[in-house]
């Protein structure tokens, strides 16, 4: 949740995960619950909560999600999307129940062109690590990406937002 606690709903732990098919080429975000403090997990709902859309910027990969339940009651799902050899960016989807997410906008909220130190397509990569609320009320997203200055090795980058959405 927005305070950094594990999300519990009606006493159940909630987890979001990456699922794949077609030998890992098609990736979606799933949701699972545990009624025994994380010992056993069950997919709920049975279908992915966010799937890549053919023809959309995030196809064929909507993965590595970080979900936070915010003070306004909405769940926000930040995720890596795109085609690995073309461009990978970070998208945002929103939900009132944590099970049915709707994308915010038609484009990613962050891409490699937003950061001078990130490698650009066809070598771009970005994956959300976490979201934290800062003492001043802003939100910090940390993400991994390939660096221009360090032989394309991965580094940790950050972005700050006032509203969780921009």
């Amino acid at each position: 949740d927005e305070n950094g606690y594990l999300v519990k709903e009606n006493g159940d732990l909630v987890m979001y995960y990456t699922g794949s098919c077609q030998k890992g080429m098609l990736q979606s975000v799933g949701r699972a619950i545990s009624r025994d403090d994380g010992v056993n997990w069950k997919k709920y709902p049975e279908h992915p909560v966010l799937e890549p859309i053919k023809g959309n910027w995030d196809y064929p990969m909507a993965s590595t999600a970080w979900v936070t339940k915010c003070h306004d009651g909405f769940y926000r799902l930040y995720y890596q999307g795109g085609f690995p050899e073309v461009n990978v960016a970070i998208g945002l989807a929103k939900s009132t129940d944590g099970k049915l997410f709707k994308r915010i906008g038609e484009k990613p909220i962050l891409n490699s062109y937003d950061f001078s130190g990130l490698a650009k397509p066809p070598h771009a990569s970005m994956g959300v690590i976490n979201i934290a609320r800062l003492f001043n009320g802003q939100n910090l997203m940390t993400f991994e990406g390939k660096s221009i200055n360090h032989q394309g090795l991965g580094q940790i980058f950050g972005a700050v937002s006032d509203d969780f959405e921009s």
Side-chain angles (χ1 to χ4, degrees), residues 12-153:
D12 300 334
L13 281 176
V14 179
M15 169 178 57
Y16 293 88
Y17 62 91
T18 298
S20 66
C21 60
Q22 298 178 8
K23 297 183 180 179
M25 289 307 299
L26 186 63
Q27 298 180 3
S28 300
V29 177
R31 181 179 191 267
I33 60 169
S34 173
R35 294 196 163 105
D36 56 10
D37 289 326
V39 176
N40 297 292
W41 294 89
K42 180 179 178 180
K43 293 179 184 179
Y44 183 79
E46 293 293 322
H47 57 81
V49 296
L50 186 74
E51 297 180 90
I53 298 173
K54 196 166 192 164
N56 198 30
W57 73 267
D58 64 2
Y59 191 81
M61 182 175 59
S63 64
T64 61
W66 181 272
V67 179
T68 186
K69 187 175 181 183
C70 300
H71 59 279
D72 61 5
F74 284 98
Y75 292 78
R76 286 176 176 79
L77 184 152
Y78 301 88
Y79 68 101
Q80 174 180 270
F83 190 77
E85 294 177 7
V86 177
N87 193 20
V88 177
I90 295 174
L92 171 62
K94 205 169 168 180
S95 172
T96 57
D97 64 4
K99 300 172 201 155
L100 186 63
F101 284 87
K102 182 179 178 187
R103 285 168 178 76
I104 302 299
E106 295 180 13
K107 296 180 180 180
I109 60 169
L110 290 174
N111 67 59
S112 61
Y113 295 103
D114 296 324
F115 297 86
S116 61
L118 274 170
K120 309 301 183 259
H123 306 290
S125 70
M126 297 173 78
V128 178
I129 295 175
N130 71 16
I131 307 289
R133 188 160 183 104
L134 303 175
F135 291 112
N136 66 1
Q138 291 182 305
N139 307 291
L140 171 66
M141 173 192 294
T142 56
F143 61 93
E144 61 182 339
K146 288 184 182 175
S147 170
I148 289 174
N149 300 324
H150 294 85
Q151 294 82 33
L153 298 176

